[in-house]
Structures are given as C-alpha cells and as structure tokens.
Amino acid sequence: MYNEGNVWVGVNDAGEKITLLPKMANRHGLVAGATGTGKTVTLKVLAESFSDMGVPVFMADVKGDIAGISIPGDDSENMQERIARFGLAEAGFSYKGYPVTLWDIYGEKGVTLRTTISEIGPLLLARLMELNDLQSDILSIVFKIADDNNLLLIDTKDLKAMLNYVSDHNSEFEAQYGKMSPQSIAAIVRALVSLEVAGGDKFFGEPAVNIMDFFTFGDAGKGMINVLDSSSLINNTKLYSTFLLYLLSELFERLPEVGDMEKPKMVFFFDEAHLLFKDAPKALLEKIEQVVKLIRSKGVGVYFCTQNPRDIPDGVLAQLGNKVQHGLRAYTPSDQKSVKAAAESYRENPAFDTYDTILNLGTGEAVVSFLGADGIPTMAEKVYILPPQSNFGTISDSQRDTLIKSSICYSKYAEAVDPDSAYEFLERRGVEEAEALAKEKAEAEAAKQKEKEEKEAAKQAEKEEKEAARAAEKAEREAARKAEAEAKAAQREKEKEEAAKKRAAKTVASSITGTVGREVGKTVGGKFGKFGKTLGGNVGASLGRGLLSTLFSKK
C-alpha cells in the first residue's frame, strides 16, 4: 500500500510500519518462499504500491491469479479483521482495481507480444533452442552474415532460409567466416522447427513489441501494470525465462542513464526466477549478472520471485538489497542448509533467531529487510504482510476480453505483418540464381545443339559429296557402257549393211551367173536336142550360181 510517500508492505510484532523507500526500490529485490506461503499476495501489494506511486510495473502471471489486480477486492469478515488489525482504515485503505494491460505471447489471453529473431540475438536464441557450443558459434556466424548482407531476420522462416542459404553456399563463406558443417546447420534447423512447434512461430514476428509501451499510465497518473499471462507459457520453461530475460535486456539497452532517482522509472518482477538460471551457460549467466548490476542506473528495479534463495546465483543474489523471505520448510539436511544460508543473508536482529523464524512463518508472514536511506540493509524483521486492495482471485473470460480490447496497444499488435525480409530476399535471389542457371544451361544446350547440328550438316555434306561422286562415277560408267553399246550397235549395223550389200551383190551376181550359165548350158545342151537344151540350161544356171557362192564365201 502506498502510504505517506513510501511502499507500506506490512507491520512487525510491535505494530510498526515496515516500508520500502521509493528511492531504494531500484536497488532490486527478492521475494522467496515455499508454495502457499503468500508470495503472490506480496507481489500484488508491491505492484499496487508502485502503480499508486506512478511507476509502471511488469510482472508474469504464472497461475492466472495476478490479473485480478485489475478489479477491486471483495469485502469479507476476514478482510475486515485484517483492516482493523493493521489500522488500514485510518490510512485510507479502499478496495480498488488498477490499470492493467494483459499480454500473451500466444495472443490468446492478452495483447499479442512478439519480438524478432534479430532483436533476441544469437545468445538467447541458442539457449532457447538448446544448442551446444559448436552450434551456438555457427548460429552467431549466421547472424553475422545476415548483418553483413543487410538481411533482416524477423521470424523463424527468415532464419531457416538464412541457414539453408549458408549451407548451400558454404564454400563462398568459408574463407571469411570459417568452416560450417552442413550437419551442424541441419541440427540447428531441426531445433528451429522444434521451436516453431512450441509456439516460436507466433513469438517471432512483426510488429515487435516496443518496450516503451510498458511505460504508460492509467487514470490519475497510476502506473500501468503490465501482466504477461504465463499460464500456458510456463509449460515451455526455456521460452518463458528467455523471453523475460530478453525484455530485461531490452530495457537495459534502450533506456538512458538516469542515475539515482526519487522513484524507479519501472519495476520488473521475475516470477519463477529459478527457471532463468537453470542450465544457463556461463556466458548467459555473466550477461544476466551484468544486466542486474547496471540496469539500476537506468531507473529499473528488478525483483526476483522464487521458492528458495539458493535458486539465485551468488553474483546476482548479492545485488538484491530488498528482501522478503516467506516461510521455508527444512525436511532434509540439504533443506536445512538452504534455510541457514537464507537466514545468514539477513542483518541479524537480536530480538529473534532468523533461522527458526523462517522455519515457523505462517501464510502471509515474512522476514523482511529493506535498504535504509543510507543504503544499508535494515535488521531482519518478522512482518505481517498487508492484504491487497484489488481482488485476490482471477477474472472471468468476459472481463479479460474487455480488458484486452480496451487497451491502447490492442490495435497496434493484434494483426501480424510479414515484411520484406531475409526469406523474401533469399527467395528472390534463389529465383534469380535458378533463372541464371536455367539460362546458362539453355545456352549450353543451344551451343551443344548447334555443334551437333554443324557436325550433322558436315556429315550430311560429306555424305552428299560421296553420293555425288558415286553418282558421277556411275554416270561415267553408264555413259561408257552406252557409248560402247552404241559403237557395237553401229558396228553391227555396218556389218549388217555390208552383209546386205554382199547379199545384194551376190544376188545380182547369182542372177547374172545363173543367166549366163543357163545360156551357156542351153547352148551346150541344145546340141543334144530340146531336152538337152533345157537340162543344159538348168545345169548351167546351178553351176553359175554355185561358182559365184564359192567366190563370195572366200571373200
């Protein structure tokens, strides 16, 4: 409860007010205790006080009951007893709700909360994907290649496209960035796909959250209480803790140095803080410790909420000046050591034994030590925590829906956009490379086809030349045969003509010799009468022709 300019947390056994000074609120704090001891109530009381002070708050709602801070609390007999016990009526206690903006990575129970791959960076992303050292180094190199080529990594498909591009063009990057095995890149891609299945495809994208939207105010200048619904997110512990650490890192990097202020610019509650440090690599632990040490100068107070202080590394625990320790249980020797360590971290109060007190604290009771005006922790006090002014429980679905849609951030982040980034650029480059390759292949095919056609043309010309030569040779042979045949025919014709002439001459000569022989035969045979004349004529004719044939045959 905000009272007299201080954060009134509770009262001690003497009825004295135990308060946190606003100017010491950015020195960070711890709220610890076993389940059911009242940590959530303490967180609400602190958040309400900071809001009344005009300081924005960011806190996670793991169990779904923080959102009730948006509506007034319910009066009851128990509440009346507590109001009377603490004297709250005189201090102006009233039931009231507080300005709340509900956020949700999945966009189901709050305004969608996104970031980009580039903004979260390779260190946190490697933890989120549970990469080994070699894979983490390769992921960092891929981010470097993207930066050097002005490629925006907005969502998971951008990073996946970038990884595949580097794998396909490994030889081009090896000389400048070192060797990156395709097997390691493939393992990173598989881890990225697993992250997408776990909701990373919704977490990474645009519009990315602007952390300055956390620094808003409600009516009467009350600080906005930004509540991240984590009832589903807590099932993915890596995503939950990595995202909160990302927000913390963004606050550290974006906010200017302000030095010591009268009150914080913002208070950041990190519930289930042990998840942040579980299995965290050394480099990440060093980064967390650095952020916690230095973010105080940016005006931001960080309060870790966990079950046991031993969940917080010593380097971080040493930075937490304001402590609220609810009850712890020591059932084992290890638990007893933890309680002893928690007790010894407080400035001793001679009025009670801190160790025994922590073991015997009831619900709503805590051992508290805040920083005084001089920066020195006060002595440990057993404190009875005040009740919150808002509702203890959760809110209905209709109340949640109204709260979400009435936020000024709702319209800004409701619809996801897909800007022109690495995926689109590499897709265009891939198309261009494919077209260039296709063109080169087509030109090579065309050249090959042309060479083939030229060879075929030369072969055809040679064939035609040979065929022409064979045809000419054949024609010559045919001409020679024809000439020879014509010569032979002419010779035969000549011989035929000569034979005809001979026959004609023979016929004429035969006729003449026959006639002469006939006349000679007649003359000779006539001497023997008429019969003798006839016979002599015939014999003479035959003899004349026979003699002529003999003469012609000899020729």
Side-chain angles (χ1 to χ4, degrees):
M1 181 176 178
Y2 188 54
N3 180 257
E4 297 177 352
N6 294 324
V7 178
W8 182 16
V9 176
V11 298
N12 60 13
D13 286 329
E16 298 171 335
K17 293 181 179 179
I18 304 301
T19 59
L20 170 63
L21 300 178
K23 67 179 182 178
M24 292 297 168
N26 66 335
R27 303 295 179 93
H28 312 316
L30 171 69
V31 179
T35 301
T37 55
K39 295 191 301 298
T40 301
V41 170
T42 301
L43 292 177
K44 281 191 172 184
V45 171
L46 290 172
E48 289 176 355
S49 301
F50 287 125
S51 179
D52 284 332
M53 197 190 302
V55 176
V57 172
F58 188 94
M59 59 197 312
D61 188 2
V62 175
K63 294 177 291 188
D65 53 359
I66 295 292
I69 203 170
S70 62
I71 57 177
D74 296 324
D75 193 23
S76 65
E77 184 178 344
N78 179 266
M79 279 297 296
Q80 288 298 326
E81 291 177 357
R82 299 177 75 179
I83 290 172
R85 176 184 177 186
F86 296 123
L88 296 176
E90 294 80 2
F93 180 92
S94 63
Y95 298 110
K96 58 183 177 181
Y98 287 82
V100 170
T101 298
L102 296 176
W103 300 90
D104 183 9
I105 284 178
Y106 303 112
E108 297 172 354
K109 296 184 178 181
V111 176
T112 305
L113 212 165
R114 308 179 190 87
T115 187
T116 67
I117 293 287
S118 293
E119 287 177 346
I120 201 167
L123 180 61
L124 290 179
L125 192 59
R127 178 178 187 258
L128 189 56
M129 294 195 295
E130 299 182 348
L131 304 182
N132 60 33
D133 291 342
L134 175 60
Q135 294 163 355
S136 299
D137 290 341
I138 291 176
L139 184 63
S140 297
I141 293 172
V142 171
F143 269 72
K144 171 66 174 170
I145 293 173
D147 288 340
D148 291 346
N149 289 274
N150 297 318
L151 296 177
L152 295 176
L153 300 177
I154 302 298
D155 51 28
T156 54
K157 75 175 186 298
D158 287 325
L159 181 55
K160 195 184 300 179
M162 194 69 204
L163 287 164
N164 289 326
Y165 181 78
V166 171
S167 180
D168 293 340
H169 298 77
N170 205 343
S171 59
E172 300 176 20
F173 300 111
E174 185 174 330
Q176 184 175 355
Y177 300 98
K179 189 173 183 179
M180 295 168 282
S181 72
Q183 292 81 6
S184 295
I185 295 177
I188 298 173
V189 172
R190 288 195 297 272
L192 186 59
V193 172
S194 296
L195 179 60
E196 288 177 332
V197 173
D201 55 335
K202 296 180 180 179
F203 174 46
F204 294 109
E206 288 280 13
V209 63
N210 182 351
I211 60 169
M212 302 312 297
D213 288 333
F214 297 153
F215 293 83
T216 55
F217 301 90
D219 296 337
K222 291 184 178 181
M224 181 63 65
I225 299 177
N226 298 278
V227 178
L228 174 64
D229 185 88
S230 305
S231 55
S232 298
L233 180 61
I234 198 65
N235 293 324
N236 188 336
T237 57
K238 281 288 192 298
L239 183 58
Y240 169 77
S241 58
T242 302
F243 177 68
L244 290 186
L245 180 56
Y246 155 72
L247 291 181
L248 193 59
S249 300
E250 280 292 290
L251 290 170
F252 171 68
E253 293 173 5
R254 294 278 301 276
L255 297 178
E257 294 279 345
V258 294
D260 292 327
M261 304 178 67
E262 289 302 313
K263 63 181 181 179
K265 292 180 66 175
M266 183 180 189
V267 174
F268 191 99
F269 290 97
F270 207 131
D271 202 2
E272 301 294 339
H274 65 282
L275 298 175
L276 175 62
F277 306 103
K278 183 180 180 182
D279 301 326
K282 182 179 179 182
L284 184 58
L285 290 175
E286 290 175 351
K287 179 178 177 64
I288 297 170
E289 186 173 338
Q290 179 191 37
V291 170
V292 173
K293 284 181 179 178
L294 301 178
I295 201 170
R296 178 185 68 82
S297 63
K298 306 294 183 80
V300 177
V302 182
Y303 287 74
F304 294 94
C305 183
T306 187
Q307 292 193 15
N308 198 307
R310 68 179 178 181
D311 297 330
I312 311 296
D314 290 341
V316 176
L317 194 61
Q319 306 300 318
L320 311 182
N322 302 301
K323 299 177 182 179
V324 179
Q325 178 64 64
H326 287 274
L328 291 175
R329 306 295 175 250
Y331 300 112
T332 68
S334 177
D335 292 338
Q336 293 170 6
K337 289 181 180 179
S338 297
V339 177
K340 185 177 181 180
E344 290 177 348
S345 67
Y346 285 86
R347 181 179 169 187
E348 186 178 356
N349 187 337
F352 62 87
D353 183 281
T354 306
Y355 176 81
D356 288 336
T357 302
I358 292 175
L359 287 175
N360 294 286
L361 289 172
T363 301
E365 299 176 355
V367 171
V368 176
S369 175
F370 294 140
L371 294 175
D374 54 4
I376 299 174
T378 60
M379 288 190 299
E381 295 277 1
K382 180 182 178 181
V383 175
Y384 302 93
I385 304 298
L386 299 184
Q389 295 172 269
S390 59
N391 196 281
F392 275 99
T394 185
I395 57 177
S396 66
D397 291 341
S398 61
Q399 289 172 319
R400 181 180 293 274
D401 187 63
T402 300
L403 200 58
I404 293 171
K405 293 181 179 178
S406 63
S407 171
I408 58 174
C409 296
Y410 175 73
S411 59
K412 181 177 181 180
Y413 297 107
E415 294 297 328
V417 296
D418 189 9
D420 193 57
S421 50
Y423 173 80
E424 287 76 15
F425 178 83
L426 293 175
E427 191 175 55
R428 288 194 298 271
R429 176 176 289 184
V431 171
E432 292 171 358
E433 289 179 351
E435 290 177 348
L437 184 62
K439 182 179 179 181
E440 182 180 345
K441 185 177 179 181
E443 290 175 350
E445 288 291 334
K448 185 177 179 181
Q449 182 64 25
K450 183 178 179 181
E451 182 181 358
K452 181 180 178 181
E453 290 174 355
E454 289 176 350
K455 287 182 178 179
E456 289 179 350
K459 186 176 180 181
Q460 183 65 25
E462 184 181 357
K463 180 179 179 182
E464 290 176 354
E465 185 178 349
K466 289 181 179 179
E467 289 179 350
R470 286 195 296 270
E473 185 180 351
K474 182 178 179 181
E476 289 177 358
R477 288 196 301 269
E478 288 293 329
R481 283 196 298 270
K482 185 176 180 181
E484 183 180 358
E486 289 176 351
K488 288 180 178 181
Q491 182 63 30
R492 285 194 298 272
E493 188 63 31
K494 182 178 179 181
E495 290 176 351
K496 184 177 179 181
E497 289 178 356
E498 289 179 352
K501 286 180 180 180
K502 286 181 178 181
R503 284 193 301 273
K506 183 178 179 181
T507 302
V508 173
S510 177
S511 177
I512 294 173
T513 54
T515 301
V516 172
R518 183 182 296 276
E519 291 299 326
V520 172
K522 281 180 178 183
T523 300
V524 173
K527 293 179 176 183
F528 296 97
K530 184 177 181 182
F531 178 78
K533 183 180 180 180
T534 301
L535 180 62
N538 290 338
V539 171
S542 297
L543 290 172
R545 285 194 294 274
L547 179 62
L548 184 63
S549 297
T550 302
L551 290 175
F552 272 96
S553 63
K554 289 182 178 180
K555 291 182 179 180

